[in-house]
Structures are given as C-alpha cells and as structure tokens.
Amino acid sequence: MTALTLLAVLALGAVLGIAVTHDPAGSSQETPAAAPPAPPAPGGMNDQLRPTASSPLDPSNRSDAEAAVKNNWPLIANDEFDGTSLNRNLWSPYTGETTGGVGRHKAENISVGDGKLTLTSRGKTSAGMAWREGQQYGRWEVRAKTNKGSGYGDVILLWPDAEDWPEGGEINFMEVPKGDRTESHVIVHYGEDNSQVGKTITGDFTQWHNYAVEWTPDHIVGFIDGKEVFRTTDRKTIPPRPMHLAMQQDIGPYGDDWIPALDERSPEKLDFQVDWVRIYGL
C-alpha cells in the first residue's frame, strides 16, 4: 500500500467511525469503533428524586385496614409466611449488588419464622427478593414494618419482567430511605430518561402498615392502610409491559440526600419485616 493510499484509507476510517490498523503482511484490518458509554444501570447514584408533593398519614386510620378489603379486590395469589423457610416456588432471592452498588444482597439474609418474613442487612450485605410470576396490571398489597437505622432504606416495588429499566417502568409503592422512618414515598419511574412522579407521606413507619398499589391501563393508585395516598392518570407514566413484585433493603450512600452513608449511627444489623403479601386481579 502506498503512503498516499494509506492516508486515504485512514481518512475514510475517521469519517465512518472505524479504527484502521495496518497489518505488516500487507493488508489493512478494520475494527469497529468503541461503542458509546452504556446508560447508567438501575440504581445509579443520582436517579432518585424526592417528590415535591407531601401529605401526612391520617392517624385515625387503623393500621390493619386493607385496600383489598375496602375495595373488594379478587385474590389470585399470596404468601402468608407461615412456614420456616422461604418458598422458592414463589420467590427468587437477589444475589447481586444493592442499589447504587455499595454492597451485595445475600440469600442467607432472608429468614421466615413466627409468621413473618425478615430481610436483614449486616454492614454492606443486605437482602432482597422477587416474586417469580409477573403480570401486566393488577393489585398488590403488603403488610410490613421498618425499623429505625441510618444508612439503610426499605423498598417494596414493581419491577419490569424484561429488565428494561427505565423504559419498562418502576413503581415504588413503599420506599422508606431515612433512618428515622418518618417518610414513605410512592414513586413512579417512566420513560427512557427516568422521569418520575410521586408523593411523600409522613408518619411513623416503624409501625405495621398495609401498603398497596393498583395498576391498570389508565391509572396507578397507591394506598396506605386502605386510604388512597397517590394517583396518576397520565398515560405516559403507565408501565408498558408485565412487572413483578420485589422487596429489598438498600445500603447508603444512595442518591442526593436519599439514603445516607453508613456511619457511627448505623446499627450492626437492621431488619425489615413483612407479615404477608397478597396479589389481586382487576
């Protein structure tokens, strides 16, 4: 190859976005240019926004009130956690990194006993689990309680079966990130730019409460103790494909003023407890 020809090939490679290497044997080899950076993985450090709308939890509501009972929802699946171990036919424990990549989930941090499920965080190991069967639209209700502890956040959510976050959506219908456990958030993530809409509810979330979500083709509604606390009817916020229930504890630091980093205030271990999970049809 002459010097003039080689320069022409190099120039063409630059225009087409390919790298050209010269083979000493006399041939040129083209290799694809480096791919653009991948978008942030779910749970990126800056992907969670605090909702601007806020309201207090009505203390007159009994904490054992259920949205399903009030609205006569038809039960289609459930787990009452009456055994002594996790039902692996219903649940798949997490084994990967926690949200934000600070720590790791371990199946051994999940236990069942005395009619309750317990997810336990210990330092930089935590626990999370996903319901194996997803569906498009439905209603979910979970009775749960958090415990005070800075550096850990408790979350109950719907996650896309296709793992195509954020385009596939995300519905957090209980998210309690702060150590004092005085705020729970309902947050809907949607669109390829991870847009968000939601509501902050203030109250004492170290007590048992029933958290529910109703997802239909034209609305998403969040409930606490049978009372509606959030609603969106904006069609662009509605997840486009099947989703499944998931529950987890996250480890800080995560987000801007969301879950703080572990420090001297953080307990050696922290439990997130669940009494039951019930899934309803429309």
Side-chain angles (χ1 to χ4, degrees), residues 199-220:
K199 185 79 170 285
T200 297
I201 301 91
T202 57
D204 180 1
F205 298 103
T206 65
Q207 303 299 312
W208 287 100
H209 293 286
N210 299 326
Y211 303 90
V213 63
E214 178 178 70
W215 168 34
T216 78
D218 58 13
H219 67 260
I220 297 170

Side-chain angles (χ1 to χ4, degrees), residues 94-99 101-107 109 120-128 249 251:
Y94 296 170
T95 57
E97 290 185 342
T98 58
T99 301
V102 177
R104 293 196 71 84
H105 292 295
K106 292 187 175 182
N109 289 337
T120 302
S121 290
R122 297 175 172 88
K124 290 191 176 181
T125 71
S126 189
Q249 268 198 327
I251 303 173

Side-chain angles (χ1 to χ4, degrees), residues 50-273:
R50 186 174 298 276
T52 56
S54 178
S55 66
L57 189 65
D58 184 354
S60 66
N61 275 347
R62 293 174 56 190
S63 64
D64 59 355
E66 297 175 38
V69 173
K70 285 188 171 185
N71 297 288
N72 197 31
W73 294 346
L75 183 69
I76 59 174
N78 67 300
D79 193 347
E80 305 298 315
F81 303 110
D82 289 332
T84 57
S85 62
L86 187 67
N87 185 341
R88 296 297 187 96
N89 292 322
L90 299 177
W91 300 98
S92 176
Y94 296 170
T95 57
E97 290 185 342
T98 58
T99 301
V102 177
R104 293 196 71 84
H105 292 295
K106 292 187 175 182
E108 64 228 45
N109 289 337
I110 300 172
S111 61
V112 175
D114 298 323
K116 295 188 295 293
L117 164 77
T118 302
L119 307 178
T120 302
S121 290
R122 297 175 172 88
K124 290 191 176 181
T125 71
S126 189
M129 50 198 277
W131 188 265
R132 289 186 178 274
E133 195 72 31
Q135 64 190 66
Q136 188 163 14
Y137 312 129
R139 297 153 171 147
W140 292 255
E141 191 155 21
V142 179
R143 183 165 177 80
K145 75 181 294 290
T146 69
N147 292 296
K148 290 183 179 181
S150 181
Y152 301 99
D154 305 325
V155 192
I156 304 173
L157 69 149
L158 300 182
W159 185 258
D161 288 359
E163 298 288 340
D164 57 344
W165 186 95
E167 293 92 337
E170 175 185 354
I171 304 173
N172 301 329
F173 59 102
M174 189 218 80
E175 187 161 10
V176 185
K178 293 297 186 182
D180 61 10
R181 307 306 193 224
T182 58
E183 290 183 351
S184 183
H185 309 274
V186 180
I187 301 174
V188 178
H189 299 249
Y190 64 95
E192 61 184 16
D193 61 349
N194 186 27
S195 296
Q196 299 168 37
V197 61
K199 185 79 170 285
T200 297
I201 301 91
T202 57
D204 180 1
F205 298 103
T206 65
Q207 303 299 312
W208 287 100
H209 293 286
N210 299 326
Y211 303 90
V213 63
E214 178 178 70
W215 168 34
T216 78
D218 58 13
H219 67 260
I220 297 170
V221 182
F223 303 84
I224 298 179
D225 299 331
K227 179 183 178 182
E228 181 178 320
V229 295
F230 166 83
R231 176 182 290 264
T232 178
T233 57
D234 187 344
R235 291 297 186 99
K236 69 176 179 288
T237 69
I238 308 299
R241 288 176 283 283
M243 307 183 86
H244 57 267
L245 178 71
M247 302 185 293
Q248 64 197 46
Q249 268 198 327
D250 292 326
I251 303 173
Y254 170 53
D256 183 14
D257 190 35
W258 194 249
I259 302 176
L262 298 175
D263 59 21
E264 65 280 357
R265 300 169 298 167
S266 304
E268 291 186 7
K269 69 175 186 177
L270 186 68
D271 291 342
F272 170 31
Q273 296 173 305

